[in-house]
Amino acid sequence: MGISMQQCLEQTISAISNIDRSDAIAACPASVLALLPLAPDALIALAHSKLHTFPYDSVPVCWRRLYTDASIVKAVALIEKLLECSPIEEKRRLGDGNAPSHDEVSKDGRVDEVVKVLDMAAIMAGAAGRAETIEQLLSAFQSHLDEAGPPRRKRRKLEREQGFFPVANIMVPSIKYPVQSSIAPSMQAFDTHLKTAQPLCIKGALTHWPAMHERPWSSPEYLLEMTFGGRRLIPVEIGRSYVDAQWGQSIITFKDFMENYMMSEAPDTSTLGYLAQHDLFSQIPSLRNDIAIPDYCYTIPPALEAAGSARTRKPPPPQLEEPLLNAWFGPAGTVSPLHTDPYHNILCQVVGKKYIRLYSPEQTDKLYPKGIEEGGVDMSNTSEVDAEAAAEVLNADFPLFLQAEYVETILSEGECLYIPVGWWHYVRSLSVSFSVSFWWN
């Protein structure tokens, strides 16, 4: 049995208040720390300014921790106010068939604010050592509201109306040069394949994932439930591809993402929304429980041999202790332009289909890699070419590209694609699609 909401709040404040000298936040000035229980909004604003003073990787941990702890203090205060004015019996009135009162609407706004404050700490500051605390607080808060709130049948009206994702009418390309495939190869067979340094489509390896069956990610209802009724915040890319001029980013609620981008049968490709390369599973561990790291990620893959022009060769990334997980969730038509990744990758398709085209590192000089762009951003892992552009356009602007050899596949639900490190790959969603990438080295 879990702890009560009040117990969770008390434990949270106790953990925030007891600052050890070895704690990262102790590097903040004492005058700043003294304001933590009194003025969390002011400290969030101060820490926010510090986050934008340095490149993100160089931000002193103390400021990320201050942003996080001040956010937690603010969230606790908001929850305490809700507890004072919202006893269980009063909240049960939401289920009596009457329209919600002004006070009830106001309380729901404060619930949204609690979730927003804690998610911003996770997204902006990486939760800075408090990820477990934030998750426990959100879990206890949601459990409290589930116990005290309106009957499930009324809370679920929107979700019932959105029981399935729409089916997009989009052309599926024919496959001329298929990727080699195998049905759930043994670890030994996969290890042998690694030595070929070739992609591999793996079928039948995800049948045991709850996300495929009893906790289906193909259900909008389930995804809304697992994101606090859609209140959780997520970073979303706006536009077809990150190399397009109109591309941008926004932080929105999961519910808004679903309603504005995922439920349209004919999405506008110029305003697509894409939850791309986001560590969703650290932010929302309950979804992490629906999947499993493929055993193949615990093999030892070969290192990338130098290939391509000198400007695309980079030192190897640090050794990973565990695979890096990222979520890719969006409507039909989203594109990841032709690019390379610094790690070996197993891309697992949970919902929908994707068209994927791959080029070996030996083809690099025909793929027109970008260089250092404005602001010193190194884009040499991304091609200048739109891989599916018309042949006449490619012939005029990128003639060598048409000579590059490639392999391709349609990655369907329940399938995985092994992408060796250094291989260029272009990805386009053919339907609503939810994928998980596992990087390892």
Side-chain angles (χ1 to χ4, degrees), residues 399-420:
L400 292 177
F401 181 75
L402 293 175
Q403 302 172 23
E405 298 178 356
Y406 64 89
V407 291
E408 58 190 341
T409 190
I410 304 294
L411 194 66
S412 299
E413 288 185 10
E415 297 180 349
C416 311
L417 178 65
Y418 165 59
I419 305 174

Side-chain angles (χ1 to χ4, degrees), residues 312-339:
T312 65
R313 296 179 194 144
K314 299 178 182 179
Q319 190 74 22
L320 298 174
E321 293 184 5
E322 287 289 329
L324 295 177
L325 280 64
N326 280 301
W328 309 79
F329 182 37
T334 55
V335 167
S336 292
L338 191 60
H339 69 285

